[in-house]
Amino acid sequence: MSTILKEVLSANDSYARDFGDKAELAMPPGRHFAILTCMDARLDPAKYAGLAEGDAHVIRNAGGRASDDAIRSLVISHKLLGTNEWFVIHHTDCGMETFTDDIMRDLLAGSLKTATVDENGWRNTDKGPGSKEGDYIDWLTISDNAKSVIADVTRIRNHPLVPASVPVYGYIYDVKTGKLVEIPEASAAGKAA
Amino acid sequence: MSTILKEVLSANDSYARDFGDKAELAMPPGRHFAILTCMDARLDPAKYAGLAEGDAHVIRNAGGRASDDAIRSLVISHKLLGTNEWFVIHHTDCGMETFTDDIMRDLLAGSLKTATVDENGWRNTDKGPGSKEGDYIDWLTISDNAKSVIADVTRIRNHPLVPASVPVYGYIYDVKTGKLVEIPEASAAGKAA
């Protein structure tokens, strides 16, 4: 058993021992909202937005992007589980700003192993096997994180399965301060009708 | 400004005021692993798996499914940010077990507003407008959550962009106890080569 696996199971034992009355929580989010944010390790949405277990849906992917899958999750969140306000929260210093589709596809074609980055950009340090399958994936990279928040809120707002009654707020989390900074143009685009 | 928005920003103010040395955290996850789990409000992966900010990538969607988008995120997680162990964690009493593609598509065709559920199943309580766009989405529902963990770990293991060196562990989180329960058949399927 790996060290990480042992540590995770040990931490879980402690959590479960002190589980309290959380067994009584209902399936629908008690505070009726959802957050779409990045998978980045520095972000803890429960902490940065003040969530207790049972409060809100949290959807996370690389970039916090409004991918088809994030929209699948948001539509389930509203339609079946009653959330009626949504946040899209990207962040400063996002890994998604450090590469492009072409860079990722070239890296993967050369090797599947972890690449390294320095002031000259990304490079593979070993040789293959790689795969051209990366060519068939849109990596949803980000060139400007205010623009990506606006684009994603707009995509959600205009999606035919999203009711006009759900407001979508657009924010950036600053990894240097912990603060949520609104992107007013995004929140305006996400306004409920 | 909605009550929820005020509460989230107020909680964020408190978090940012006591941010400590988290500004120094690096982008790559310090403990080199990633968790794919469900968006369910009752789950707090940082708490149930013992994560501090900076430790691990957390990817979440409806069901914790190995969707194309989750695989996009996992490949970025390993290839660019160095995670080398992955967990797939579904859970008991998952909303994804309560419906099928046909049910969701019918509900959405009738109305976009939140449906209700009782012992007779899901139903709309208002009339439209709805949308047939739900027909074009695979909702990735779950009929048996041990089977869904096995299927998702297997999909990740066999994906051409996932190196054989990354182990994928399969677990179910029990919402009544807080415990992580291994699905040995999933972990076996996800074993590193």
Side-chain angles (χ1 to χ4, degrees):
Chain A
M1 192 182 284
S2 81
T3 304
I4 287 296
L5 190 44
K6 276 184 216 156
E7 288 171 356
V8 165
L9 296 178
S10 166
N12 179 251
D13 272 345
S14 304
Y15 180 70
R17 261 201 300 277
D18 196 25
F19 200 58
D21 57 3
K22 288 192 279 292
E24 310 307 320
L25 290 170
M27 183 192 293
R31 291 172 64 203
H32 311 292
F33 72 104
I35 291 176
L36 168 60
T37 195
C38 186
M39 70 178 179
D40 190 286
R42 294 165 292 181
L43 275 55
D44 186 335
K47 287 189 183 162
Y48 78 53
L51 310 179
E53 291 94 327
D55 278 356
H57 283 143
V58 180
I59 300 156
R60 302 180 68 174
N61 63 35
R65 304 305 312 268
S67 61
D68 290 351
D69 195 53
I71 287 175
R72 173 183 70 87
S73 301
L74 287 168
V75 171
I76 289 168
S77 176
H78 172 75
K79 178 70 190 171
L80 302 181
L81 294 162
T83 66
N84 49 35
E85 293 176 77
W86 297 342
F87 292 76
V88 174
I89 304 177
H90 295 180
H91 65 97
T92 60
D93 193 39
C94 185
M96 302 301 287
E97 298 172 278
T98 69
F99 68 104
T100 62
D101 275 351
D102 283 346
I103 289 170
M104 185 65 165
R105 289 167 182 166
D106 283 349
L107 286 169
L108 288 166
S111 164
L112 299 184
K113 292 196 181 154
T114 302
T116 56
V117 67
D118 60 22
E119 65 280 7
N120 298 314
W122 288 98
R123 67 190 166 90
N124 285 322
T125 51
D126 73 298
K127 288 190 175 154
S131 168
K132 293 287 282 173
E133 286 288 325
D135 294 7
Y136 299 88
I137 294 178
D138 181 339
W139 296 93
L140 301 178
T141 62
I142 292 176
S143 59
D144 172 311
N145 61 15
K147 283 186 189 155
S148 66
V149 172
I150 296 165
D152 286 6
V153 168
T154 303
R155 183 181 189 211
I156 294 167
R157 173 78 296 141
N158 293 335
H159 195 280
L161 293 173
V162 172
S165 59
V166 176
V168 189
Y169 312 123
Y171 281 80
I172 288 177
Y173 175 86
D174 185 329
V175 297
K176 293 299 179 202
T177 64
K179 281 189 189 158
L180 290 173
V181 179
E182 190 177 21
I183 306 298
E185 192 177 340
S187 295
K191 219 173 156 216
Chain B
M1 192 182 283
S2 80
T3 303
I4 287 295
L5 189 46
K6 274 183 218 159
E7 288 171 356
V8 165
L9 296 179
S10 166
N12 179 250
D13 272 346
S14 304
Y15 180 67
R17 262 201 300 277
D18 195 25
F19 199 57
D21 57 3
K22 288 193 279 292
E24 310 307 320
L25 291 170
M27 183 192 292
R31 292 172 64 202
H32 311 290
F33 71 103
I35 292 176
L36 168 61
T37 195
C38 185
M39 69 178 180
D40 191 286
R42 293 165 292 181
L43 276 53
D44 186 336
K47 287 190 183 163
Y48 78 53
L51 310 179
E53 290 94 327
D55 278 357
H57 283 144
V58 180
I59 300 156
R60 302 180 67 174
N61 63 36
R65 304 306 311 270
S67 60
D68 291 350
D69 195 54
I71 287 174
R72 172 183 70 88
S73 301
L74 287 168
V75 172
I76 290 168
S77 177
H78 172 75
K79 178 69 190 171
L80 301 181
L81 294 161
T83 66
N84 49 34
E85 292 176 79
W86 297 343
F87 293 76
V88 173
I89 305 176
H90 296 178
H91 65 97
T92 60
D93 193 39
C94 185
M96 302 302 286
E97 300 171 277
T98 69
F99 68 104
T100 62
D101 276 351
D102 282 347
I103 290 169
M104 186 64 165
R105 289 167 182 166
D106 283 349
L107 286 169
L108 288 166
S111 163
L112 300 183
K113 292 195 181 157
T114 301
T116 57
V117 67
D118 60 23
E119 65 281 6
N120 298 313
W122 288 99
R123 66 189 168 89
N124 285 321
T125 51
D126 73 298
K127 288 192 176 153
S131 167
K132 293 288 280 173
E133 286 287 325
D135 293 8
Y136 299 88
I137 294 178
D138 181 340
W139 296 92
L140 300 178
T141 62
I142 292 175
S143 60
D144 173 312
N145 61 17
K147 284 187 190 155
S148 65
V149 172
I150 296 165
D152 286 6
V153 168
T154 303
R155 184 183 187 208
I156 294 168
R157 172 78 297 142
N158 294 335
H159 195 279
L161 293 173
V162 173
S165 58
V166 176
V168 188
Y169 312 123
Y171 281 80
I172 288 177
Y173 174 86
D174 185 329
V175 298
K176 293 298 180 203
T177 64
K179 282 189 190 156
L180 290 174
V181 179
E182 189 176 23
I183 306 299
E185 192 177 338
S187 296
K191 218 174 156 214

